[in-house]
Amino acid sequence: MAAKRKPLIAGNWKMNGLKKDVRALAGGLAKRMAMTKRPAFEMLICPPAPLLGFCVDAVKGSGVKIGAQDCHAAEHGAHTGDISAPLLKNMGCGYVIVGHSERRTDHSETDKEVKAKAEAALAAGLKVILCIGETLKERKAGQTLNVNRRQLRGSLPTGATAANTVIAYEPVWAIGTGQVATPAQTQQVHAAIRKLIKSKLGANEGDKMRILYGGSMKPGNATELMILPDVDGGLIGGASLSVADFWAIAEAA
Ligand code: 13P
């Protein structure tokens, strides 16, 4: 990782956690963060939407940031069950994840929809974590770079800058499987992502934009991934549900 990019350690709780877990998990991380002088990383927690407000309160003053896992593309309106980006901002969120493969699969989200959500998030003043990644079938077919480039081209929001957008490379076959991408596989895709960002946004933005790895990241494999030249942190699922594991991954950064 280049020294000029501050690593982002982001926890995606997915559909896990109850109100009773907020104090131990978000509060526990906030406590550790508050005791860390000049942390070398930025820490973010993305809990399920109903817990956002509680988490915002639990981390207050610690430097830990709170983000959401999705948002709607519209500013407001008749969309039962959905959540707008302005509301997330209003609740105290700093970030929102868009385009996670679980949403692309469970809710058939397309690149076009993901792009619209990302643009709504930017308009609301949120930072975006844009997820892309290939399936095992696509990897086996030799389509890894093509798929990631296609998703990135199709879903990168207009107005993206290194300051407001983070890319997360999450190979679908590595998510929740315990099967982590090798350092060589990871670096290959991250370098291709950076190259494409540079061609779209210019060399400077491309150099500064953070690219996270996600997929079975654990304390035991975080270091070998985090030292790669184009890996600038992690988007962590399972291991973000343990204060000790999540903190150990942050320390690897
Ligand atoms: P796991 O760390 O559980 O594999 O999940 C990764 C992920 O999907 C984060 O968004």
Side-chain angles (χ1 to χ4, degrees), residues 3-252:
K4 58 192 166 210
R5 297 189 293 265
K6 190 170 198 176
L8 176 62
I9 305 302
N12 176 6
W13 290 8
K14 308 191 179 183
M15 201 174 72
N16 295 295
L18 298 172
K19 196 176 158 190
K20 68 174 174 56
D21 302 312
V22 167
R23 187 203 282 242
L25 214 44
L29 289 165
K31 211 182 237 172
R32 290 193 188 208
M33 193 70 169
M35 288 183 331
T36 308
K37 270 199 197 118
R38 264 188 284 223
F41 51 83
E42 184 181 351
M43 181 169 275
L44 171 71
I45 305 174
C46 301
L51 297 182
L52 285 169
F54 299 112
C55 285
V56 166
D57 289 342
V59 302
K60 206 159 262 168
S62 70
V64 174
K65 291 173 185 156
I66 300 299
Q69 300 174 10
D70 178 48
C71 69
H72 196 276
E75 211 179 310
H76 55 77
H79 300 289
T80 302
D82 281 311
I83 301 171
S84 74
L87 174 59
L88 295 175
K89 177 73 180 173
N90 184 235
M91 291 298 292
C93 289
Y95 283 84
V96 60
I97 299 170
V98 297
H100 193 283
S101 62
E102 286 149 16
R103 293 209 59 90
R104 290 178 187 261
T105 303
D106 294 357
H107 302 274
S108 313
E109 288 187 9
T110 62
D111 287 334
K112 201 172 155 207
E113 284 161 342
V114 172
K115 182 174 195 254
K117 288 179 178 215
E119 287 171 355
L122 294 183
L126 293 165
K127 293 183 184 181
V128 165
I129 299 181
L130 170 61
C131 300
I132 57 173
E134 82 287 357
T135 63
L136 188 57
K137 196 171 157 209
E138 289 162 339
R139 176 165 281 273
K140 284 189 171 157
Q143 289 303 307
T144 298
L145 295 183
N146 284 342
V147 168
N148 281 285
R149 285 194 198 107
R150 187 188 70 221
Q151 290 183 358
L152 187 56
R153 278 199 198 98
S155 52
L156 189 71
T158 302
T161 66
N164 65 23
T165 302
V166 177
I167 310 297
Y169 167 54
E170 297 208 312
V172 179
W173 49 273
I175 295 176
T177 58
Q179 200 186 342
V180 66
T182 65
Q185 288 171 330
T186 305
Q187 175 55 27
Q188 183 198 27
V189 179
H190 279 233
I193 292 170
R194 192 172 308 287
K195 195 171 162 199
L196 180 57
I197 297 286
K198 282 184 181 175
S199 80
K200 284 185 82 82
L201 305 181
N204 188 41
E205 291 302 308
D207 260 337
K208 286 199 279 194
M209 191 170 284
R210 291 178 294 182
I211 307 173
L212 314 183
Y213 169 81
S216 297
M217 195 182 249
K218 306 274 184 263
N221 59 34
T223 304
E224 66 184 32
L225 294 163
M226 227 73 92
I227 57 168
L228 296 169
D230 288 301
V231 173
D232 311 305
L235 183 54
I236 296 121
S240 74
L241 299 171
S242 148
V243 170
D245 285 356
F246 194 53
W247 191 259
I249 292 172
E251 284 190 318

